[in-house]
Amino acid sequence: MARVFHATAGSGRSAARRAPGTEPAPAPAPRSASRGGIVAGYLAPHPPHLVYAENPPQNEPRSTGGWEVLRWGYEELRRRLRAHRPDVLIVHAPHWITMVGHHVNCVPNPRGVSVEPIFPHLFRYHYDFRTDVDLAEAIVEEGSRAGLVTSAMREDGVRVDYATIGALHLANPDWDLPVVSLSANNNPYFYSDASLTEMETLGAATRRAVERTGRRAVLLASNSLSHLHWDTEPDLPEDMGVERPFTHAQYAGDMELLQTIREGPTSRLKAAVPKHIEATSSETKAGSLTWLLAAMGWPAIAGDVLAYGTVIATGNAVVEWVAP
Amino acid sequence: MTPGRAPAALVPTMPHLLAGDPAPSWAELAAATRTVGDRLRAAGVDTVLLLSTQWFTVLGHQVQCDERLRGRRTDENWYAYDYGHLDHDLAIDTELAHSWADAIDAAGMQARRTRYEGFPVDTGTVVAARLLDPDGRGRWAQVSCNLYADPAAMAAVAAAGVRAAQGLGRRPGIVAVSGLSSGLTPRWIRPAEDRVEPEHDRWNRKVLDAIRAGDRGAVLAMREEFADAAQADSQFRAFAFLDGSGAVDRPGEVLAYGPVWGTGAAVVWWGGSGGRGESTERES
């Protein structure tokens, strides 16, 4: 079994930039304290606006806040995540777009500045984290064994995208857990959505890799929900006076999906997610949510919706599923 | 000066054109792109107005205002190949860039002036710049491709760029960096295996035939159907941009067409008029 490590991420410089004092985590749930496997999964949307609004020391732009309800949802996510005492966070993100296959970041210590080409005024983030390389390589192997085209990305010159950083930062701003980052094998800008069937295969491969390596993992699906949005921006990006759903239909589509999530079981989402994508151009078309639920084995449980809100009109929800 | 019509071109976006061991179609597309660069220089172009679909954005129209884009891009998909590591050094015509942004604002749209250290220049821009301007002597003005902008807006952005250039006495060239069909082969292949699937190939040729005929109306009319049927790169917004510049209301010369990892790619040239050194142009 590969060693489970607890490396402290970040350089001394980045550590000095971190926000002081987080609330102590509650005690972990006794039932899962001693075993590995996937212990929880979170729908963890990544709009850069949320990082911008938090004003973390790693991000260069400064804001006056905004999108508080979603950020409060993330505060609750953080509290719960710490209670799960994971060894590693595994994130699937739609903005590391790989056109050929599923790539897994196997760079031991990704670091650099991620200037986001779409939102450079909001997101210029200094990242510096540790990869659980053993687990990353195991996911590559299990995916390949399952017939997927997979690649181990070992180039430290590849910029880490904002959807990966955003979800990871918002879930764990201390960056004190190792990470495995998975790409999205699709290109929404060419209108080729991810194959959700393939994402199920990738999810199952991820689960096998976690079990094989004995990790205690929490999954992050870095997806927004409804995805139509404005194509201009107010002078003050965090002007909440103009923040609202794109249309009532988009909002209603999100609520229908979230109601299904809240009722459970997750198997109902196999039909509900494609329907939601069709109705709202949901970002879940990139496959992150399907990957997460497949990795958890489509458990017969309900999800806990911690927050919902819009960001430049897109729908975003923070949701928790705890493995039974 | 008398403005005349600006020369224009459509060139591919994929980095395979820079491969050390290219497929035949990649080499032909690269050679044709170099030819476009020769023609732009021969036409006396001062600054190229550039749109790359790989700099896709969603809020407003971003105009690059950094005077020098120097660095290395490691492509997030093609990093395992020689062409996945792209050094670049572009000189931006910042006076024109700011004037272009002002013209976009004046036209009732939202310009976003972009100048950030470490800004990741997209693969399409780097590939085009290296082939069009191998000696690095050219000047560029670049706008992003807003994926939510309708064709009229893309056209208006290009028109604003031409107005801005003329206002400064620049002789502009117009270049759109975009693919055609985007049905990428979803596995690792040898260059010799590269092909465009038949239905996408049929659509690409249909579009290129209309371009050869100088029928801009037909191209614009089939744009949405092309996008649906062949997953056209960014819904072929590139053509709407070129159309807005006034450069494509005449036959285009298709210098090359072929596959790049299953996608369709073409190099098309529209000669200008009224500029300096126009004698080398040839229209089909």
Side-chain angles (χ1 to χ4, degrees), chain A residues 253-297:
Chain A
D254 285 348
M255 291 306 112
E256 184 178 346
L257 182 81
L258 291 176
Q259 187 62 29
T260 305
I261 287 173
R262 294 176 73 235
E263 291 170 357
T266 60
S267 58
R268 290 176 63 201
L269 294 169
K270 289 186 180 182
V273 166
K275 180 183 173 189
H276 180 248
I277 292 169
E278 182 67 25
T280 68
S281 301
S282 172
E283 198 182 32
T284 57
K285 68 185 178 182
S288 309
L289 178 56
T290 300
W291 161 81
L292 179 147
L293 293 168
M296 295 185 74

Side-chain angles (χ1 to χ4, degrees), chain A residues 96 98-100 103 115 117-121 124 151 153 155 157 189-191 227 229-233, chain B residues 55-56 58-60 62 76-79 85 110 112 116-117 120 147-148 182 184 187-188 231 233 235:
Chain A
W96 177 15
T98 52
M99 293 183 266
V100 182
H103 299 222
V115 177
I118 298 179
F119 304 102
H121 59 307
R124 303 190 299 278
S151 294
M153 197 282 285
E155 296 283 344
Y189 308 104
F190 293 161
Y191 296 84
H227 216 53
H229 57 75
W230 316 128
D231 60 7
T232 58
E233 186 179 62
Chain B
W55 183 15
F56 45 80
V58 297
L59 293 175
Q62 289 178 223
E76 59 271 30
N77 187 80
W78 306 110
Y79 53 79
H85 302 266
Q110 186 178 60
R112 306 172 66 78
Y116 300 101
E117 185 179 347
L147 293 171
Y148 289 78
S182 67
L184 192 105
R187 58 189 171 82
W188 304 113
Q231 302 173 16
D233 183 345
Q235 293 185 303

Side-chain angles (χ1 to χ4, degrees), chain A residues 81-144:
Chain A
L81 187 151
R82 289 168 67 83
H84 293 305
R85 299 189 185 282
D87 301 317
V88 62
L89 302 177
I90 311 176
V91 60
H92 186 278
H95 294 298
W96 177 15
I97 297 169
T98 52
M99 293 183 266
V100 182
H102 306 272
H103 299 222
V104 183
N105 191 334
C106 294
V107 176
N109 178 204
R111 56 186 159 179
V113 183
S114 186
V115 177
E116 166 47 42
I118 298 179
F119 304 102
H121 59 307
L122 304 181
F123 196 86
R124 303 190 299 278
Y125 191 98
H126 296 251
Y127 62 92
D128 184 346
F129 60 90
R130 299 283 172 186
T131 296
D132 183 339
V133 177
D134 289 344
L135 176 57
E137 291 174 339
I139 293 172
V140 173
E141 290 166 12
E142 291 292 344
S144 180

Side-chain angles (χ1 to χ4, degrees), chain A residues 11-52:
Chain A
S11 64
R13 188 187 57 184
S14 68
R17 286 199 299 265
R18 290 184 196 127
T22 52
E23 182 184 344
R31 54 157 286 283
S32 56
S34 61
R35 72 171 201 230
I38 295 168
V39 293
Y42 293 92
L43 180 60
H46 58 256
H49 306 70
L50 301 180
V51 174
Y52 163 73

